Amino acid sequence: MAANSIDNAFVARGFAGASYEPTYAGALSFMRRKYSKNVKGADAIVWGIPFDAAVTNRPGARFGPQGIRRASAIMDNDAQYPFNDEFIDRLAVVDYGDCLLDSGNHQKTPGIIEREAAKLIRNGAFLLSLGGDHFITWPILKAHAAKYGPLSVVQFDAHQDTWDDDGRRIDHGSFVLRAVREGVIDPETSIQIGIRTHAPTDCGIKILYGYEVEELRAADIAYAILERTAGRKTYVTFDIDCLDPAFAPGTGTPVAGGPSSAKMLSVLRLLDRLDMVGADVVEVAPAYDHADITSIAASNIAMYYLGLLSARRARG
């Protein structure tokens, strides 16, 4: 079938509807959504944050938004699995592009991210952020908590990210501790999935360790998430190193012994009753990838977020 259009990211008249352009050509926005800085009327906003100055191992996640967008091109045309639904026909999704950061002054980074995130969610749109290293989640959480109050957090990760800091550090390994200390998240209704390292404290957050994830069914993991969050406003953050390096080699701090992309996507599929107010996927470093394995996994995670949002809105 000939394409209905080309470069839908620029020529689309609205925020909904597939473009059916060739997967190997055209401008690479997320799922071929229209690029626009005018987000009025958008149900969901996709936003890239190309920042990796907070990493403690391999750099490169600043290229994550590019990699995820590139891998998402194949998902524009047909009904999206497993939702069996062309939800982009009715869900108004805009690609806002990337956050502009000062590469020579990282202390300005959290403020820039927080202010722009607050602006984007002001009118109730769902913000889907593409990282970038995991530090970016800290200012995004602050913006969401300012709007919704203290949040429950569902964190897919190999690391707890509860290492101590002084409240000023630019570090991807301490944002959870800081968020708990400052009342941004509620540890009693938050949960971490896939943890395969030790940190000084768990902050009272429930943990499903890597070996438990291996032994549990996807339905059991989803039940644990829904039980823990208990219907509260929830932010979902997915560090791609939650997945085993066999399924996500392109990341800065890979840890063996993790779950497959299939299993974690199965968990996400079952979270349609989660009151998810925002989400991200982070730590994709395409330079260490092979055949776009990691970017493909991350783009599917991002697409699942939109599918869950559409399903929840359709149900009312």
Side-chain angles (χ1 to χ4, degrees):
M1 177 187 295
N4 288 350
S5 64
I6 195 71
D7 296 326
N8 191 69
F10 299 117
V11 303
R13 295 183 178 180
F15 297 153
S19 68
Y20 302 104
E21 60 190 284
T23 58
Y24 50 83
L28 292 173
S29 60
F30 183 77
M31 290 182 69
R32 306 290 194 180
R33 299 303 84 210
K34 183 178 177 63
Y35 272 124
S36 180
K37 297 300 183 184
N38 179 3
V39 298
K40 184 178 180 180
D43 297 315
I45 301 166
V46 180
W47 182 39
I49 309 178
F51 177 80
D52 64 4
V55 298
T56 52
N57 194 35
R58 304 188 304 200
R62 67 183 61 185
F63 298 105
Q66 289 181 0
I68 295 169
R69 286 186 174 105
R70 183 176 65 250
S72 76
I74 200 170
M75 295 189 294
D76 167 48
N77 297 347
D78 301 318
Q80 297 306 315
Y81 176 87
F83 303 98
N84 194 25
D85 182 17
E86 294 189 57
F87 57 78
I88 56 175
D89 281 340
R90 64 175 180 277
L91 193 69
V93 182
V94 60
D95 192 326
Y96 187 75
D98 287 348
C99 184
L100 178 61
L101 299 170
D102 183 349
S103 61
N105 192 338
H106 299 310
Q107 292 300 323
K108 290 185 176 181
T109 293
I112 293 171
I113 295 173
E114 183 182 352
R115 287 190 295 273
E116 193 155 3
K119 180 182 71 173
L120 293 174
I121 66 174
R122 183 170 51 213
N123 295 323
F126 180 87
L127 183 59
L128 167 51
S129 302
L130 311 177
D133 69 44
H134 219 159
F135 177 78
I136 71 164
T137 303
W138 163 239
I140 296 172
L141 279 174
K142 287 182 69 179
H144 281 79
K147 181 176 178 64
Y148 297 107
L151 299 163
S152 300
V153 165
V154 176
Q155 179 184 352
F156 295 87
D157 208 323
H159 310 87
Q160 295 176 56
D161 295 334
T162 57
W163 290 90
D164 199 13
D165 74 20
D166 59 5
R168 298 187 301 273
R169 285 176 58 81
I170 306 295
D171 190 332
H172 71 162
S174 58
F175 81 92
V176 173
L177 178 71
R178 194 183 296 185
V180 172
R181 282 179 173 174
E182 298 195 15
V184 171
I185 68 175
D186 176 11
E188 297 300 320
T189 59
S190 296
I191 185 170
Q192 297 173 324
I193 300 99
I195 302 300
R196 304 189 295 285
T197 53
H198 296 295
T201 178
D202 61 18
C203 293
I205 296 172
K206 181 179 178 62
I207 296 174
L208 290 182
Y209 287 99
Y211 67 86
E212 295 175 289
V213 169
E214 180 67 19
E215 295 165 0
L216 290 169
R217 299 179 305 155
D220 298 324
I221 299 168
Y223 177 80
I225 292 169
L226 294 171
E227 182 181 46
R228 183 69 172 179
T229 54
R232 291 172 56 90
K233 300 292 185 186
T234 301
Y235 187 90
V236 181
T237 179
F238 201 116
D239 186 323
I240 205 66
D241 70 26
C242 174
L243 304 181
D244 190 88
F247 304 94
T251 191
T253 315
V255 181
S260 70
S261 52
K263 188 164 190 176
M264 290 298 94
L265 289 171
S266 292
V267 172
L268 285 176
R269 180 181 65 86
L270 298 171
L271 298 181
D272 59 314
R273 296 193 178 276
L274 190 70
D275 191 2
M276 181 173 58
V277 297
D280 64 49
V281 56
V282 299
E283 298 284 358
V284 175
Y288 312 108
D289 214 348
H290 171 71
D292 290 336
I293 293 172
T294 312
S295 294
I296 290 168
S299 67
N300 274 267
I301 290 163
M303 181 271 287
Y304 271 51
Y305 289 149
L306 297 178
L308 291 170
L309 176 66
S310 177
R312 186 175 180 86
R313 293 196 173 190
R315 194 171 59 245

